[in-house]
């Protein structure tokens, strides 16, 4: 059984005071930057001085609606300047913003309305129809709907965001919240079943900004940050709000989907006039960019660094990105439960094909099924011990106990550690495949398949054959007009991995099933038969 270190692992960062309001903290960090751009969206710029005033007006407005401390408000907005104003305004008031995915259905929003018991909703005009459909279906009554950038006339129960702000004088005093008080919720992606309402404290984003944004990425007020991951993701919230505001940097926000063309326009400064110095994305997005005919040269850009998370970064992809742009692509792993990245490569210390080393301030352990530490080179379940762990899953005691185990958080990921302390991703706990008593990492096989010039994407799962034995099956998406056979791919894997790891079955698909957040839905692939079938 492992030892349990003190709650905060070794770090030079001072903890926040006991009385701590994260929104007040960020505003206070930037008092001297009144005229500097805090956010630039598709329609214009928002200075730090304007951010301060608008955050306080939202806080006053929520109070005027009679919304009380720790009651929830839904935040259903595309990334724009009104998003951070709303999020921080709620926190400033001691109200709990619940940031939700803009890509979901009305039925999903029904669940979130009823689960959170939200007293109000701040919503983008383009998303109002989905919200209205959800409110019609739901038994839960919302006091007020505040609409950012409406597309047409509003229902009497709704109010335009700008009018809501201007009808209230800025609050002078923030809510006297504690560092451990509930600050905001994020919902997990919910690839199986209903999503879990993950409750974070006011202190948690402080820790991620200090331990990762500053200490690992080295962000400063000179940086311009741009995240393809949206603000409602834990990853995007740090990238585009907590991190840049903690150092006085500028953030570019983009409402549209992060297609390669849309990203490149911002990289070149064609929207908002500023070119980002740090970009945050995910491997699927980087693969699409590198395959684009519009891929820019580094001399057109101001990028000094790029970050990758959300899924493991294949070594070949990281090397191709660095070779083209001449900058490092820093891969790490985080989670909704830990809020941001706790295990990462770092500038000047990048080992592509691995997730790197523990972020200072976090301790990680790998354990077997009996909760014993595994040896280096062996695969184990990843547990994390650090200051940014969520308080709970709201209204879900069983899942809370399963994930948050004392000082430790069980990630659900499988990893192996090398002798020098570097960690390599081996898949999700429920994705690992045991063939003839030996674990096979699906990610390891997928990474090799992705190296084949004809393969665009690949996902590997374990399927049970008629004899009750588990067989590995690969689902492969070929590049446009590329041809490769099942036997060719099997031989390709056998030549690069231990023979027992090659996929016994291969099926070619036009697309892999994915969640709204872009993660592969392996549970759907497991519903396929354990046979080969090509398209």
């Amino acid at each position: 059984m492992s030892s349990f270190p003190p709650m905060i692992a070794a770090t030079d960062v001072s903890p926040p005071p006991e009385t701590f309001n994260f929104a007040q903290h960020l505003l206070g960090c930037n008092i001297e930057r009144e005229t500097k751009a805090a956010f630039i969206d598709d329609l214009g710029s928002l200075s730090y001085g304007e951010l301060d005033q608008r955050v306080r007006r939202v806080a006053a407005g929520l109070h005027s609606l009679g919304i009380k401390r720790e009651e929830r408000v839904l935040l259903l907005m595309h990334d724009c300047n009104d998003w951070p104003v709303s999020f921080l305004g709620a926190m400033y008031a001691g109200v709990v913003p619940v940031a939700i995915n803009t890509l979901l259905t009305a039925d999903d929003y029904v669940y979130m309305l009823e689960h959170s018991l939200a007293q109000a909703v701040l919503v983008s005009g383009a998303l109002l129809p989905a919200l209205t459909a959800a409110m019609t279906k739901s038994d839960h009554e919302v006091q007020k709907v505040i609409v950012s950038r409406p597309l047409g006339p509003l229902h009497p129960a709704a109010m335009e965001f700008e009018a809501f702000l201007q009808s209230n004088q800025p609050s002078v005093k923030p809510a006297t919240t504690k560092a451990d008080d509930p600050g905001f919720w994020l919902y997990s992606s919910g690839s199986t079943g209903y999503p879990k309402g993950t409750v974070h404290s006011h202190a948690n984003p402080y820790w991620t900004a200090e331990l990762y944004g500053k200490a690992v990425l080295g962000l400063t007020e000179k940086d311009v940050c741009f995240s393809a991951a949206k603000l409602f993701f834990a990853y995007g919230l740090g990238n585009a709000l907590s991190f840049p505001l903690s150092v006085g940097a500028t953030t570019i926000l983009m409402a549209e989907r992060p297609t390669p063309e849309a990203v490149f326009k911002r990289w070149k400064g064609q929207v908002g006039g500023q070119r980002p110095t740090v970009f945050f994305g995910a491997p699927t997005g980087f693969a699409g960019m590198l395959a684009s005919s519009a891929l820019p040269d580094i001399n057109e850009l101001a990028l000094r660094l790029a970050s990758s998370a959300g899924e493991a970064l294949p070594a070949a992809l990281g090397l191709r990105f660095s070779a083209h742009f001449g900058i490092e692509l820093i891969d790490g792993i985080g989670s909704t439960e830990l809020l941001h990245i706790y295990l990462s490569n770092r500038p000047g210390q990048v080992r592509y094909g691995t997730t790197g080393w523990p972020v200072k301030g976090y301790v990680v352990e790998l354990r077997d099924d009996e909760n014993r530490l595994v040896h280096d080179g062996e695969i184990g379940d990843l547990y994390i011990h650090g200051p940014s762990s969520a308080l709970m899953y709201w209204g879900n005691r069983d899942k809370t106990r399963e994930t948050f185990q004392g000082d430790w958080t069980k990630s659900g990921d499988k990893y192996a550690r090398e002798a020098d302390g570097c960690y390599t991703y081996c898949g999700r706990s429920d994705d690992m495949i045991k063939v003839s008593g030996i674990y096979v990492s699906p990610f390891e096989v997928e990474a090799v398949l992705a190296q084949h010039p004809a393969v665009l994407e690949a996902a590997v799962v374990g399927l049970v054959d008629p004899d009750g034995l588990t067989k590995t099956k690969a689902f492969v998406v070929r590049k446009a007009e590329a041809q490769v056979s099942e036997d060719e791919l099997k031989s390709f894997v056998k030549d690069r991995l231990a023979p027992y790891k090659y996929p016994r079955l291969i099926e070619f698909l036009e697309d892999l099933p994915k969640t709204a957040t872009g993660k592969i839905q392996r549970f759907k692939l497991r519903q396929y038969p354990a046979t080969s079938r090509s398209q």
Side-chain angles (χ1 to χ4, degrees), residues 56-68 93 95 120 143-144 146 159 163-169 171:
R56 295 170 190 264
R57 286 182 185 274
V58 167
L62 294 175
H63 282 153
S64 72
L65 295 176
I67 300 176
K68 299 178 177 62
V95 174
Q143 292 187 39
K144 200 72 173 178
I146 300 152
M159 187 176 188
F164 174 69
L165 261 64
Q166 298 310 317
S167 64
N168 296 280
Q169 291 299 312
S171 288

Side-chain angles (χ1 to χ4, degrees), residues 60-116:
L62 294 175
H63 282 153
S64 72
L65 295 176
I67 300 176
K68 299 178 177 62
R69 283 276 302 273
E70 295 192 14
E71 289 186 328
R72 275 78 61 193
V73 294
L74 284 194
L75 178 50
L76 176 60
M77 280 188 192
H78 292 304
D79 282 18
C80 67
N81 292 343
D82 291 342
W83 202 107
V85 168
S86 301
F87 184 83
L88 295 174
M91 293 187 75
Y92 193 89
V95 174
V96 177
V98 180
I100 59 177
N101 191 330
T102 60
L103 304 173
L104 302 180
T105 66
D107 287 341
D108 294 312
Y109 299 141
V110 170
Y111 172 77
M112 293 173 179
L113 282 166
E114 296 178 348
H115 181 248
S116 67

